[in-house]
Amino acid sequence: MSWQPLIHLLNGEIYQLKQLLHALSNEATALLCNESGSIELATNAKKHALEKQIELTMVREKAMEEMTGYSGDDTLSQLANNTEDTRLKQLILELGELAKQCRETNQANGKLIHKQQRHTNNALNILRQRDAPPATYSNQGSTNQVCDSRTIGKA
């Protein structure tokens, strides 16, 4: 059986995963620099690369099913383990490694986004005076306002 059509599809998918990894790297840089314009551009590039990657994966899985009767990551792993074609094996392993790198980078970006959201919400809470403790009353009946040093006073 000739694996050439599958090799061609794997090459395309690997190229696209590299594009996705590049987009994820740009997104991480934009998030670290906290530049909203750059974040938006990087996020759009990531979205486009991911959509293309999903499309290529579906095409590859359909071809795998037509060639072997099976599809999915398990079938691809079995093929890598059982094939004598070193090029095919190398491409399957590279595809798996790139997919892993993309997943890890995307998760790290998600953590950066979550951290920035918390930071922004904390800043907004301070501005809204939600961070200040409620007023309490002294023995004389007047209010004792204990202000946190992070609370911004009103002019």
Side-chain angles (χ1 to χ4, degrees):
M1 170 183 277
S2 172
W3 295 110
Q4 199 55 40
L6 183 59
I7 287 172
H8 178 72
L9 291 171
L10 288 169
N11 277 320
E13 201 171 352
I14 286 169
Y15 173 79
Q16 190 57 43
L17 273 175
K18 288 178 181 178
Q19 296 299 309
L20 178 58
L21 190 58
H22 181 70
L24 288 165
S25 176
N26 288 343
E27 181 184 49
T29 301
L31 287 167
L32 289 170
C33 294
N34 204 17
E35 297 171 357
S36 60
S38 297
I39 292 171
E40 185 175 351
L41 288 173
T43 301
N44 287 336
K46 177 184 79 169
K47 180 183 172 194
H48 176 72
L50 187 57
E51 288 170 352
K52 183 71 174 165
Q53 179 61 38
I54 290 168
E55 182 182 310
L56 290 173
T57 299
M58 290 172 52
V59 170
R60 189 233 329 135
E61 288 200 357
K62 183 178 178 189
M64 281 282 300
E65 190 166 355
E66 289 173 1
M67 294 174 89
T68 66
Y70 303 99
S71 66
D73 291 340
D74 291 338
T75 303
L76 203 57
S77 294
Q78 288 175 351
L79 182 59
N81 292 332
N82 298 328
T83 188
E84 305 254 337
D85 188 325
T86 56
R87 179 70 179 140
L88 179 62
K89 185 175 192 163
Q90 176 190 5
L91 290 173
I92 292 170
L93 294 174
E94 185 178 358
L95 181 75
E97 184 59 34
L98 281 169
K100 180 182 173 189
Q101 288 175 5
C102 286
R103 198 171 26 258
E104 289 171 352
T105 304
N106 194 47
Q107 288 172 345
N109 288 357
K111 289 178 183 178
L112 281 172
I113 290 168
H114 183 69
K115 181 180 176 184
Q116 287 182 349
Q117 283 176 332
R118 277 196 332 259
H119 177 74
T120 300
N121 285 335
N122 287 341
L124 288 172
N125 286 339
I126 289 170
L127 291 173
R128 292 180 191 136
Q129 300 273 330
R130 285 189 185 164
D131 209 67
T136 57
Y137 290 92
S138 70
N139 291 342
Q140 291 80 25
S142 62
T143 59
N144 286 336
Q145 185 103 8
V146 180
C147 292
D148 189 352
S149 62
R150 296 184 306 164
T151 303
I152 299 173
K154 293 183 180 179

